[in-house]
């Protein structure tokens, strides 16, 4: 999820729907099991031995360092090998999340979306969930969290891997450097780097974690030859970057890209990012790299807040993966970028990603469309009813969805044209329930608790329909993780996208193939806008 979407939290109702009582019972049993968790037998990995904790049949190993702390002289350097330890290291609690500005729960982002502290520069930890015999070779799912490259961690409760692990997958979640610590570029940093690169430290952390998985995951019953990497939002953009990166070649066999293919946010060039870095350094009074490395972490975080822009301007993100020509050879947001790892991919968006459209009247809608589409506005306006305020409000939501779904289709078509990548495209349309406040539908990141199988009825009034959707999406996800193909017995057939594919798999209570855009005429109008140089931005 994007940290800039966070809003003030609303009051939560204390009532819980009766349909959630069975889920509450399951949660209480899980909590009791966690309280009575026993230590696992020690596991030997490259750095030493670790002991985790058992909860039922699931073993979890939390807070394992996969690289040296990126502090002091290691700030703004590639991840360095970590030190070994003697004896047995307790891996029973999460490590610190990477440095970030704290946020508060909100609507729609309740507490399961909010990163708990503590925060630290010493944050390169990963977590493993597994079940069954350690000498088995089970498929591995490595998860990269979202958060606009400035927020998030692998330790969010909704990313707990126990539910997926119970179904035969080894789950790994990771932390990676964020904000200025992960994505600051500067001419001085580029000059001291042997590859003349800077601004890709977070992406390099992800590669280091994948290399750790290759060397160690067999000790947890995982198959290093059957690794799927996945992520949402910033994690999805990262996953698309890993597909392009020559440094990540051979580290995974498939990819799950949730809300991140064709988002419309261009990656900066190294030169552009270096200019931003110079401005950041100047604002801090740092004359060179040495002085930058001496800046306290809190001052570095406070120096560069995200500054929103009104649509249709593309939001300006201070920190984003940099196209440096070494780690990242081209922009992940461009479907024509050539994949170094053309692995099978699941990718798509939610039906209500952009819930920020503030259209309430006919005049609002006309202004909104004119601002977005310029000389193409009349053609677009003619296709979306807006004679009344109610029509205008509904059309704004539909147009926002059509915009990013068109972008997805064009991105996939471009990728199909330059690689043999098998891509399965989808739209997720199940609304997340809420105790109070407006229901914002399947908002940006709303599907994550369903994919992980973590439906906490104390946070949201999840009921039987939610469990059915979770079972459905997990069925597709687990089949894809295991084989690279989401299809299988008991599931509707999901075809590989072709160059001319305009249909996507709908995931939700009414699954099945569906047109991605609300009408062919609207798709053609939006495609013509792109052909004329327009950009279809998610937000």
């Amino acid at each position: 999820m994007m940290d800039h979407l966070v809003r003030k939290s609303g009051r939560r109702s204390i009532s819980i729907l009766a349909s959630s009582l069975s889920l509450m019972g399951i949660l209480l049993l899980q909590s009791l099991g966690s309280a009575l968790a026993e230590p696992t037998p020690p596991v030997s990995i490259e750095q030493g031995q670790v002991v985790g904790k058992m909860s039922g049949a699931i073993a979890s190993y939390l807070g394992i360092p996969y690289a040296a702390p990126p502090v002091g002289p290691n700030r703004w350097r590639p991840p360095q090998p970590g030190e070994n330890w003697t004896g047995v290291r307790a891996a029973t609690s999460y490590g610190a999340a990477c440095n970030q500005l704290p946020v508060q729960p909100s609507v729609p982002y309740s507490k399961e979306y909010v990163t708990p502290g503590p925060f630290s520069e010493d944050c390169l930890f990963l977590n493993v969930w597994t079940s069954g015999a350690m000498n088995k070779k089970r498929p591995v799912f490595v998860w990269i969290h979202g958060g606009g490259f400035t927020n998030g961690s692998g330790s969010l409760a909704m990313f707990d891997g126990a539910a997926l692990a119970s179904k035969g997958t080894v789950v790994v979640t990771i932390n990676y450097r964020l904000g200025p610590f992960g994505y600051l570029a500067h001419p001085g940093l580029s000059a001291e780097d042997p590859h003349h690169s800077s601004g890709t430290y977070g992406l390099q952390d992800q590669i280091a974690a994948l290399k750790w998985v290759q060397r160690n995951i067999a000790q947890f019953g995982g198959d290093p030859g059957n690794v799927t990497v996945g992520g949402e939002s910033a994690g999805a953009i990262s996953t698309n970057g890993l597909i392009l990166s020559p440094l990540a070649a051979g580290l995974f066999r498939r990819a799950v890209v949730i809300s991140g293919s064709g988002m419309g946010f261009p990656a900066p060039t190294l030169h552009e990012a270096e200019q931003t870095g110079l401005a950041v350094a100047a604002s801090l009074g740092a004359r060179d790299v040495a002085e930058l490395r001496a800046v306290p972490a809190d001052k570095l975080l406070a120096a560069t807040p995200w500054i929103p822009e009104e649509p249709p301007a593309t939001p300006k993100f201070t920190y984003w993966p940099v196209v440096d020509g070494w780690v990242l050879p081209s922009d992940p947001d461009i479907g024509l970028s050539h994949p170094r790892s053309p692995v099978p991919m699941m990718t798509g968006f939610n039906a209500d990603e952009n819930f920020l459209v503030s259209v309430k009247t006919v005049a609002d809608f006309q202004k909104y469309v004119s601002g977005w589409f310029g000389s193409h506005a009349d053609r677009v306006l003619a296709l979306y009813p807006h004679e009344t305020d109610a029509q205008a409000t509904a059309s704004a939501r539909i147009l926002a969805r059509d915009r990013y779904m068109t972008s997805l289709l064009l991105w996939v078509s471009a990728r199909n044209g330059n690689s043999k990548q098998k891509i399965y495209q989808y739209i997720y349309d199940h609304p997340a329930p809420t105790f109070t406040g407006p229901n914002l539908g399947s908002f940006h990141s709303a599907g994550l608790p369903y994919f992980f199988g973590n439906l906490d009825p104390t946070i949201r009034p999840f009921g039987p329909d939610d469990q059915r959707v979770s079972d459905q999406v997990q069925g597709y996800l687990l089949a894809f993780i295991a084989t690279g193909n989401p299809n299988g017995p008991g599931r509707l057939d999901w075809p590989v996208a072709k160059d001319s594919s305009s249909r996507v798999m709908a995931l939700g209570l009414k699954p099945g193939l569906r047109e991605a855009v609300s009408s062919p005429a609207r798709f053609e109008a939006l495609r013509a806008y792109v052909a004329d140089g327009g950009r279809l931005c998610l937000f």
Side-chain angles (χ1 to χ4, degrees), residues 461-490:
F462 292 115
D465 283 348
D466 300 290
Q467 189 60 55
R468 281 194 287 272
V469 171
S470 183
D471 292 341
Q472 173 201 122
V473 297
Q474 281 196 338
Y476 282 118
L477 176 66
L478 290 164
F480 181 80
I481 289 170
T483 68
N485 185 332
N487 293 295

PDB file of all heavy atoms in Angstrom, residues 461-490:
ATOM      1  N   PRO A 461     -15.036  -7.167  10.317  1.00  0.00           N
ATOM      2  CA  PRO A 461     -16.078  -8.188  10.507  1.00  0.00           C
ATOM      3  C   PRO A 461     -16.069  -9.238   9.392  1.00  0.00           C
ATOM      4  O   PRO A 461     -17.036  -9.383   8.638  1.00  0.00           O
ATOM      5  CB  PRO A 461     -17.366  -7.363  10.512  1.00  0.00           C
ATOM      6  CG  PRO A 461     -17.065  -6.194   9.637  1.00  0.00           C
ATOM      7  CD  PRO A 461     -15.616  -5.863   9.909  1.00  0.00           C
ATOM      8  N   PHE A 462     -14.987  -9.978   9.309  1.00  0.00           N
ATOM      9  CA  PHE A 462     -14.886 -11.017   8.288  1.00  0.00           C
ATOM     10  C   PHE A 462     -15.918 -12.112   8.555  1.00  0.00           C
ATOM     11  O   PHE A 462     -16.153 -12.502   9.711  1.00  0.00           O
ATOM     12  CB  PHE A 462     -13.491 -11.627   8.287  1.00  0.00           C
ATOM     13  CG  PHE A 462     -12.401 -10.699   7.830  1.00  0.00           C
ATOM     14  CD1 PHE A 462     -11.403 -10.287   8.697  1.00  0.00           C
ATOM     15  CD2 PHE A 462     -12.375 -10.243   6.517  1.00  0.00           C
ATOM     16  CE1 PHE A 462     -10.389  -9.438   8.278  1.00  0.00           C
ATOM     17  CE2 PHE A 462     -11.364  -9.388   6.084  1.00  0.00           C
ATOM     18  CZ  PHE A 462     -10.370  -8.989   6.964  1.00  0.00           C
ATOM     19  N   GLY A 463     -16.521 -12.618   7.496  1.00  0.00           N
ATOM     20  CA  GLY A 463     -17.521 -13.663   7.612  1.00  0.00           C
ATOM     21  C   GLY A 463     -17.273 -14.787   6.632  1.00  0.00           C
ATOM     22  O   GLY A 463     -16.211 -14.881   6.004  1.00  0.00           O
ATOM     23  N   PRO A 464     -18.258 -15.674   6.450  1.00  0.00           N
ATOM     24  CA  PRO A 464     -18.088 -16.833   5.576  1.00  0.00           C
ATOM     25  C   PRO A 464     -17.744 -16.471   4.137  1.00  0.00           C
ATOM     26  O   PRO A 464     -16.958 -17.176   3.489  1.00  0.00           O
ATOM     27  CB  PRO A 464     -19.442 -17.541   5.679  1.00  0.00           C
ATOM     28  CG  PRO A 464     -19.983 -17.129   7.002  1.00  0.00           C
ATOM     29  CD  PRO A 464     -19.537 -15.729   7.209  1.00  0.00           C
ATOM     30  N   ASP A 465     -18.333 -15.397   3.594  1.00  0.00           N
ATOM     31  CA  ASP A 465     -17.997 -15.005   2.223  1.00  0.00           C
ATOM     32  C   ASP A 465     -16.525 -14.642   2.103  1.00  0.00           C
ATOM     33  O   ASP A 465     -15.865 -14.955   1.095  1.00  0.00           O
ATOM     34  CB  ASP A 465     -18.851 -13.824   1.782  1.00  0.00           C
ATOM     35  CG  ASP A 465     -20.269 -14.226   1.404  1.00  0.00           C
ATOM     36  OD1 ASP A 465     -20.526 -15.442   1.271  1.00  0.00           O
ATOM     37  OD2 ASP A 465     -21.118 -13.327   1.248  1.00  0.00           O
ATOM     38  N   ASP A 466     -16.003 -13.976   3.112  1.00  0.00           N
ATOM     39  CA  ASP A 466     -14.586 -13.608   3.083  1.00  0.00           C
ATOM     40  C   ASP A 466     -13.706 -14.858   3.098  1.00  0.00           C
ATOM     41  O   ASP A 466     -12.695 -14.923   2.389  1.00  0.00           O
ATOM     42  CB  ASP A 466     -14.262 -12.714   4.279  1.00  0.00           C
ATOM     43  CG  ASP A 466     -15.076 -11.436   4.269  1.00  0.00           C
ATOM     44  OD1 ASP A 466     -14.828 -10.588   3.409  1.00  0.00           O
ATOM     45  OD2 ASP A 466     -15.987 -11.315   5.110  1.00  0.00           O
ATOM     46  N   GLN A 467     -14.085 -15.846   3.903  1.00  0.00           N
ATOM     47  CA  GLN A 467     -13.309 -17.078   3.939  1.00  0.00           C
ATOM     48  C   GLN A 467     -13.354 -17.798   2.595  1.00  0.00           C
ATOM     49  O   GLN A 467     -12.346 -18.356   2.143  1.00  0.00           O
ATOM     50  CB  GLN A 467     -13.825 -18.000   5.033  1.00  0.00           C
ATOM     51  CG  GLN A 467     -12.925 -19.210   5.288  1.00  0.00           C
ATOM     52  CD  GLN A 467     -11.531 -18.813   5.707  1.00  0.00           C
ATOM     53  OE1 GLN A 467     -11.353 -18.073   6.670  1.00  0.00           O
ATOM     54  NE2 GLN A 467     -10.518 -19.274   4.968  1.00  0.00           N
ATOM     55  N   ARG A 468     -14.516 -17.767   1.912  1.00  0.00           N
ATOM     56  CA  ARG A 468     -14.614 -18.398   0.596  1.00  0.00           C
ATOM     57  C   ARG A 468     -13.690 -17.710  -0.400  1.00  0.00           C
ATOM     58  O   ARG A 468     -13.027 -18.372  -1.208  1.00  0.00           O
ATOM     59  CB  ARG A 468     -16.060 -18.358   0.097  1.00  0.00           C
ATOM     60  CG  ARG A 468     -16.945 -19.428   0.723  1.00  0.00           C
ATOM     61  CD  ARG A 468     -18.251 -19.572  -0.040  1.00  0.00           C
ATOM     62  NE  ARG A 468     -19.137 -18.445   0.194  1.00  0.00           N
ATOM     63  CZ  ARG A 468     -20.012 -18.378   1.198  1.00  0.00           C
ATOM     64  NH1 ARG A 468     -20.087 -19.361   2.080  1.00  0.00           N
ATOM     65  NH2 ARG A 468     -20.794 -17.331   1.327  1.00  0.00           N
ATOM     66  N   VAL A 469     -13.653 -16.383  -0.359  1.00  0.00           N
ATOM     67  CA  VAL A 469     -12.768 -15.659  -1.274  1.00  0.00           C
ATOM     68  C   VAL A 469     -11.306 -15.961  -0.953  1.00  0.00           C
ATOM     69  O   VAL A 469     -10.483 -16.161  -1.853  1.00  0.00           O
ATOM     70  CB  VAL A 469     -13.054 -14.146  -1.213  1.00  0.00           C
ATOM     71  CG1 VAL A 469     -11.995 -13.366  -2.002  1.00  0.00           C
ATOM     72  CG2 VAL A 469     -14.442 -13.848  -1.760  1.00  0.00           C
ATOM     73  N   SER A 470     -10.967 -15.996   0.325  1.00  0.00           N
ATOM     74  CA  SER A 470      -9.595 -16.324   0.706  1.00  0.00           C
ATOM     75  C   SER A 470      -9.206 -17.704   0.210  1.00  0.00           C
ATOM     76  O   SER A 470      -8.110 -17.900  -0.342  1.00  0.00           O
ATOM     77  CB  SER A 470      -9.434 -16.243   2.229  1.00  0.00           C
ATOM     78  OG  SER A 470      -8.105 -16.496   2.618  1.00  0.00           O
ATOM     79  N   ASP A 471     -10.092 -18.684   0.381  1.00  0.00           N
ATOM     80  CA  ASP A 471      -9.797 -20.036  -0.110  1.00  0.00           C
ATOM     81  C   ASP A 471      -9.605 -20.039  -1.626  1.00  0.00           C
ATOM     82  O   ASP A 471      -8.732 -20.734  -2.156  1.00  0.00           O
ATOM     83  CB  ASP A 471     -10.932 -20.991   0.263  1.00  0.00           C
ATOM     84  CG  ASP A 471     -11.019 -21.249   1.765  1.00  0.00           C
ATOM     85  OD1 ASP A 471     -10.023 -20.992   2.472  1.00  0.00           O
ATOM     86  OD2 ASP A 471     -12.083 -21.704   2.222  1.00  0.00           O
ATOM     87  N   GLN A 472     -10.414 -19.249  -2.309  1.00  0.00           N
ATOM     88  CA  GLN A 472     -10.321 -19.191  -3.769  1.00  0.00           C
ATOM     89  C   GLN A 472      -8.985 -18.618  -4.230  1.00  0.00           C
ATOM     90  O   GLN A 472      -8.277 -19.224  -5.035  1.00  0.00           O
ATOM     91  CB  GLN A 472     -11.459 -18.332  -4.320  1.00  0.00           C
ATOM     92  CG  GLN A 472     -11.387 -18.036  -5.813  1.00  0.00           C
ATOM     93  CD  GLN A 472     -12.201 -16.809  -6.156  1.00  0.00           C
ATOM     94  OE1 GLN A 472     -11.706 -15.837  -6.694  1.00  0.00           O
ATOM     95  NE2 GLN A 472     -13.503 -16.835  -5.824  1.00  0.00           N
ATOM     96  N   VAL A 473      -8.626 -17.437  -3.708  1.00  0.00           N
ATOM     97  CA  VAL A 473      -7.394 -16.806  -4.178  1.00  0.00           C
ATOM     98  C   VAL A 473      -6.171 -17.600  -3.736  1.00  0.00           C
ATOM     99  O   VAL A 473      -5.167 -17.682  -4.464  1.00  0.00           O
ATOM    100  CB  VAL A 473      -7.302 -15.330  -3.728  1.00  0.00           C
ATOM    101  CG1 VAL A 473      -8.420 -14.511  -4.339  1.00  0.00           C
ATOM    102  CG2 VAL A 473      -7.296 -15.185  -2.224  1.00  0.00           C
ATOM    103  N   GLN A 474      -6.231 -18.217  -2.556  1.00  0.00           N
ATOM    104  CA  GLN A 474      -5.119 -19.052  -2.132  1.00  0.00           C
ATOM    105  C   GLN A 474      -4.977 -20.281  -3.015  1.00  0.00           C
ATOM    106  O   GLN A 474      -3.858 -20.735  -3.272  1.00  0.00           O
ATOM    107  CB  GLN A 474      -5.290 -19.473  -0.673  1.00  0.00           C
ATOM    108  CG  GLN A 474      -4.915 -18.404   0.319  1.00  0.00           C
ATOM    109  CD  GLN A 474      -4.733 -18.956   1.713  1.00  0.00           C
ATOM    110  OE1 GLN A 474      -5.241 -20.017   2.055  1.00  0.00           O
ATOM    111  NE2 GLN A 474      -3.981 -18.244   2.531  1.00  0.00           N
ATOM    112  N   GLY A 475      -6.102 -20.822  -3.494  1.00  0.00           N
ATOM    113  CA  GLY A 475      -6.019 -21.964  -4.396  1.00  0.00           C
ATOM    114  C   GLY A 475      -5.250 -21.634  -5.657  1.00  0.00           C
ATOM    115  O   GLY A 475      -4.353 -22.387  -6.077  1.00  0.00           O
ATOM    116  N   TYR A 476      -5.586 -20.490  -6.272  1.00  0.00           N
ATOM    117  CA  TYR A 476      -4.851 -20.064  -7.460  1.00  0.00           C
ATOM    118  C   TYR A 476      -3.389 -19.759  -7.127  1.00  0.00           C
ATOM    119  O   TYR A 476      -2.467 -20.138  -7.845  1.00  0.00           O
ATOM    120  CB  TYR A 476      -5.507 -18.825  -8.070  1.00  0.00           C
ATOM    121  CG  TYR A 476      -6.750 -19.103  -8.867  1.00  0.00           C
ATOM    122  CD1 TYR A 476      -7.982 -18.564  -8.494  1.00  0.00           C
ATOM    123  CD2 TYR A 476      -6.707 -19.890 -10.018  1.00  0.00           C
ATOM    124  CE1 TYR A 476      -9.128 -18.803  -9.231  1.00  0.00           C
ATOM    125  CE2 TYR A 476      -7.848 -20.136 -10.774  1.00  0.00           C
ATOM    126  CZ  TYR A 476      -9.060 -19.592 -10.372  1.00  0.00           C
ATOM    127  OH  TYR A 476     -10.206 -19.824 -11.100  1.00  0.00           O
ATOM    128  N   LEU A 477      -3.182 -19.039  -6.023  1.00  0.00           N
ATOM    129  CA  LEU A 477      -1.834 -18.623  -5.647  1.00  0.00           C
ATOM    130  C   LEU A 477      -0.941 -19.826  -5.366  1.00  0.00           C
ATOM    131  O   LEU A 477       0.191 -19.909  -5.865  1.00  0.00           O
ATOM    132  CB  LEU A 477      -1.892 -17.713  -4.426  1.00  0.00           C
ATOM    133  CG  LEU A 477      -0.557 -17.247  -3.839  1.00  0.00           C
ATOM    134  CD1 LEU A 477       0.170 -16.346  -4.825  1.00  0.00           C
ATOM    135  CD2 LEU A 477      -0.769 -16.525  -2.510  1.00  0.00           C
ATOM    136  N   LEU A 478      -1.422 -20.778  -4.575  1.00  0.00           N
ATOM    137  CA  LEU A 478      -0.594 -21.924  -4.202  1.00  0.00           C
ATOM    138  C   LEU A 478      -0.283 -22.804  -5.398  1.00  0.00           C
ATOM    139  O   LEU A 478       0.835 -23.332  -5.517  1.00  0.00           O
ATOM    140  CB  LEU A 478      -1.286 -22.722  -3.103  1.00  0.00           C
ATOM    141  CG  LEU A 478      -1.340 -22.034  -1.739  1.00  0.00           C
ATOM    142  CD1 LEU A 478      -2.356 -22.705  -0.836  1.00  0.00           C
ATOM    143  CD2 LEU A 478       0.032 -22.015  -1.085  1.00  0.00           C
ATOM    144  N   ALA A 479      -1.245 -22.968  -6.309  1.00  0.00           N
ATOM    145  CA  ALA A 479      -0.976 -23.741  -7.519  1.00  0.00           C
ATOM    146  C   ALA A 479       0.093 -23.053  -8.361  1.00  0.00           C
ATOM    147  O   ALA A 479       0.998 -23.703  -8.901  1.00  0.00           O
ATOM    148  CB  ALA A 479      -2.261 -23.916  -8.324  1.00  0.00           C
ATOM    149  N   PHE A 480       0.005 -21.722  -8.446  1.00  0.00           N
ATOM    150  CA  PHE A 480       0.991 -20.983  -9.234  1.00  0.00           C
ATOM    151  C   PHE A 480       2.378 -21.064  -8.591  1.00  0.00           C
ATOM    152  O   PHE A 480       3.382 -21.255  -9.282  1.00  0.00           O
ATOM    153  CB  PHE A 480       0.556 -19.527  -9.371  1.00  0.00           C
ATOM    154  CG  PHE A 480       1.490 -18.691 -10.195  1.00  0.00           C
ATOM    155  CD1 PHE A 480       1.443 -18.736 -11.577  1.00  0.00           C
ATOM    156  CD2 PHE A 480       2.426 -17.869  -9.586  1.00  0.00           C
ATOM    157  CE1 PHE A 480       2.314 -17.980 -12.347  1.00  0.00           C
ATOM    158  CE2 PHE A 480       3.295 -17.108 -10.339  1.00  0.00           C
ATOM    159  CZ  PHE A 480       3.242 -17.163 -11.725  1.00  0.00           C
ATOM    160  N   ILE A 481       2.436 -20.919  -7.264  1.00  0.00           N
ATOM    161  CA  ILE A 481       3.717 -21.020  -6.569  1.00  0.00           C
ATOM    162  C   ILE A 481       4.357 -22.383  -6.803  1.00  0.00           C
ATOM    163  O   ILE A 481       5.579 -22.491  -6.990  1.00  0.00           O
ATOM    164  CB  ILE A 481       3.517 -20.750  -5.059  1.00  0.00           C
ATOM    165  CG1 ILE A 481       3.200 -19.264  -4.822  1.00  0.00           C
ATOM    166  CG2 ILE A 481       4.746 -21.153  -4.256  1.00  0.00           C
ATOM    167  CD1 ILE A 481       2.763 -18.967  -3.403  1.00  0.00           C
ATOM    168  N   ALA A 482       3.555 -23.423  -6.824  1.00  0.00           N
ATOM    169  CA  ALA A 482       4.095 -24.770  -6.964  1.00  0.00           C
ATOM    170  C   ALA A 482       4.497 -25.109  -8.386  1.00  0.00           C
ATOM    171  O   ALA A 482       5.502 -25.793  -8.605  1.00  0.00           O
ATOM    172  CB  ALA A 482       3.064 -25.791  -6.468  1.00  0.00           C
ATOM    173  N   THR A 483       3.733 -24.607  -9.389  1.00  0.00           N
ATOM    174  CA  THR A 483       3.919 -25.094 -10.756  1.00  0.00           C
ATOM    175  C   THR A 483       4.129 -24.014 -11.805  1.00  0.00           C
ATOM    176  O   THR A 483       4.491 -24.321 -12.939  1.00  0.00           O
ATOM    177  CB  THR A 483       2.706 -25.931 -11.188  1.00  0.00           C
ATOM    178  OG1 THR A 483       1.555 -25.065 -11.325  1.00  0.00           O
ATOM    179  CG2 THR A 483       2.400 -27.035 -10.188  1.00  0.00           C
ATOM    180  N   GLY A 484       3.845 -22.746 -11.461  1.00  0.00           N
ATOM    181  CA  GLY A 484       3.884 -21.699 -12.468  1.00  0.00           C
ATOM    182  C   GLY A 484       2.595 -21.595 -13.254  1.00  0.00           C
ATOM    183  O   GLY A 484       2.506 -20.815 -14.211  1.00  0.00           O
ATOM    184  N   ASN A 485       1.565 -22.353 -12.858  1.00  0.00           N
ATOM    185  CA  ASN A 485       0.275 -22.340 -13.530  1.00  0.00           C
ATOM    186  C   ASN A 485      -0.805 -22.316 -12.437  1.00  0.00           C
ATOM    187  O   ASN A 485      -0.837 -23.214 -11.594  1.00  0.00           O
ATOM    188  CB  ASN A 485       0.129 -23.585 -14.400  1.00  0.00           C
ATOM    189  CG  ASN A 485      -1.147 -23.578 -15.235  1.00  0.00           C
ATOM    190  OD1 ASN A 485      -2.154 -22.990 -14.868  1.00  0.00           O
ATOM    191  ND2 ASN A 485      -1.095 -24.250 -16.383  1.00  0.00           N
ATOM    192  N   PRO A 486      -1.698 -21.319 -12.426  1.00  0.00           N
ATOM    193  CA  PRO A 486      -2.692 -21.237 -11.351  1.00  0.00           C
ATOM    194  C   PRO A 486      -3.834 -22.226 -11.487  1.00  0.00           C
ATOM    195  O   PRO A 486      -4.647 -22.355 -10.567  1.00  0.00           O
ATOM    196  CB  PRO A 486      -3.207 -19.800 -11.472  1.00  0.00           C
ATOM    197  CG  PRO A 486      -3.055 -19.477 -12.922  1.00  0.00           C
ATOM    198  CD  PRO A 486      -1.792 -20.176 -13.355  1.00  0.00           C
ATOM    199  N   ASN A 487      -3.931 -22.906 -12.612  1.00  0.00           N
ATOM    200  CA  ASN A 487      -5.074 -23.769 -12.872  1.00  0.00           C
ATOM    201  C   ASN A 487      -4.944 -25.108 -12.160  1.00  0.00           C
ATOM    202  O   ASN A 487      -3.848 -25.546 -11.800  1.00  0.00           O
ATOM    203  CB  ASN A 487      -5.230 -23.982 -14.377  1.00  0.00           C
ATOM    204  CG  ASN A 487      -5.613 -22.699 -15.089  1.00  0.00           C
ATOM    205  OD1 ASN A 487      -6.686 -22.162 -14.877  1.00  0.00           O
ATOM    206  ND2 ASN A 487      -4.705 -22.181 -15.921  1.00  0.00           N
ATOM    207  N   GLY A 488      -6.095 -25.757 -11.977  1.00  0.00           N
ATOM    208  CA  GLY A 488      -6.113 -27.046 -11.329  1.00  0.00           C
ATOM    209  C   GLY A 488      -7.523 -27.484 -11.040  1.00  0.00           C
ATOM    210  O   GLY A 488      -8.498 -26.739 -11.291  1.00  0.00           O
ATOM    211  N   PRO A 489      -7.712 -28.672 -10.502  1.00  0.00           N
ATOM    212  CA  PRO A 489      -9.051 -29.205 -10.218  1.00  0.00           C
ATOM    213  C   PRO A 489      -9.844 -28.282  -9.297  1.00  0.00           C
ATOM    214  O   PRO A 489      -9.320 -27.750  -8.322  1.00  0.00           O
ATOM    215  CB  PRO A 489      -8.757 -30.547  -9.538  1.00  0.00           C
ATOM    216  CG  PRO A 489      -7.373 -30.914  -9.982  1.00  0.00           C
ATOM    217  CD  PRO A 489      -6.650 -29.623 -10.130  1.00  0.00           C
ATOM    218  N   GLY A 490     -11.115 -28.084  -9.644  1.00  0.00           N
ATOM    219  CA  GLY A 490     -11.996 -27.289  -8.806  1.00  0.00           C
ATOM    220  C   GLY A 490     -11.905 -25.792  -9.012  1.00  0.00           C
ATOM    221  O   GLY A 490     -12.588 -25.037  -8.328  1.00  0.00           O
TER     222      GLY A 490
END
